[in-house]
Amino acid sequence: MGFFQRLKDATIGFSGYARLGRSRWAFGFMTLVLLISMAVGVARWTKEVREFGQVAAQELASGPDWGLVDGEFHYDGPMPAFPAENIVIDTTGKYDPEQLRTMRQGILITQDRMYNWNSPRMQELDLAEIPFTFTRADMSALVQGIYGFVPVLGILTFLFQLGFKAFDAVILAWIGQLAVKVNGRPAPFGQAYQIALYAMTIPIIIQWIFGLSSFSMGFFIWWGVGVLY
């Protein structure tokens, strides 16, 4: 029985579970592996995040030069500058920190100070207290380096999801054993686990397509559908 046939039996009605229950549990586990691979989309997720990292690095590598050297911030462009929403750069002293109070929150970077306004508090940092220096080129290289680890993060995400779902199948198997025992038809754990692996098919698809969180109503939908199957 191929992967798509097992997927069909696990999702369309309940009649296919008689066949699935007679197959080896290893096939159910491999179906779970392939299903999570498709649902999580590690390759696609990795590609999108890496592209974001490349764009971020390019943005950092373009425009006026800036950096922090010997406790002083420099910015080689017109000022005051607004590189992002609620962020102001002005090393000339023309922009008064009190002007931040017109916003709900904002950050001002001057030549030797950084002001963080988050109504109703104003925090001030002496840039000389920062124990390192950096330039725009340094930050660009850092971003590129960080996103170089994205494939590893994708693999770890996949492994964690696989582990959690394998444990969820154990819980579903126990519930299934309890249900058939009540009806006077005891089932071995191996068979119950095999059925539980397939019973998670629709919940996994629902979770990853609709982004249901385990801490919202998605928790009840996930387990409700899983227990039903």
Side-chain angles (χ1 to χ4, degrees), residues 101-135:
R101 297 183 185 275
T102 61
M103 313 174 188
R104 190 177 67 84
Q105 59 184 19
I107 293 176
L108 169 63
I109 301 175
T110 68
Q111 185 175 18
D112 58 356
R113 293 282 191 276
M114 183 175 75
Y115 299 89
N116 182 15
W117 163 251
N118 192 350
S119 182
R121 295 182 58 193
M122 176 78 80
Q123 294 177 312
E124 181 179 344
L125 171 66
D126 186 347
L127 297 182
E129 296 178 4
I130 298 178
F132 55 86
T133 63
F134 60 86
T135 64

Side-chain angles (χ1 to χ4, degrees), residues 39-40 161 165 168 200-226:
V40 176
Q161 289 296 333
K165 291 298 182 286
D168 288 342
M200 294 191 302
T201 301
I202 289 182
I204 289 174
I205 293 174
I206 292 175
Q207 179 179 3
W208 292 111
I209 290 179
F210 298 101
L212 294 175
S213 169
S214 296
F215 300 100
S216 65
M217 284 299 295
F219 174 88
F220 300 102
I221 295 174
W222 200 99
W223 283 100
V225 174

Side-chain angles (χ1 to χ4, degrees), residues 124-165:
E124 181 179 344
L125 171 66
D126 186 347
L127 297 182
E129 296 178 4
I130 298 178
F132 55 86
T133 63
F134 60 86
T135 64
R136 185 186 65 188
D138 293 333
M139 297 304 293
S140 178
L142 177 63
V143 169
Q144 289 178 324
I146 290 174
Y147 282 94
F149 289 100
V150 165
V152 177
L153 295 176
I155 293 172
L156 290 176
T157 299
F158 167 75
L159 293 176
F160 274 117
Q161 289 296 333
L162 181 60
F164 283 129
K165 291 298 182 286

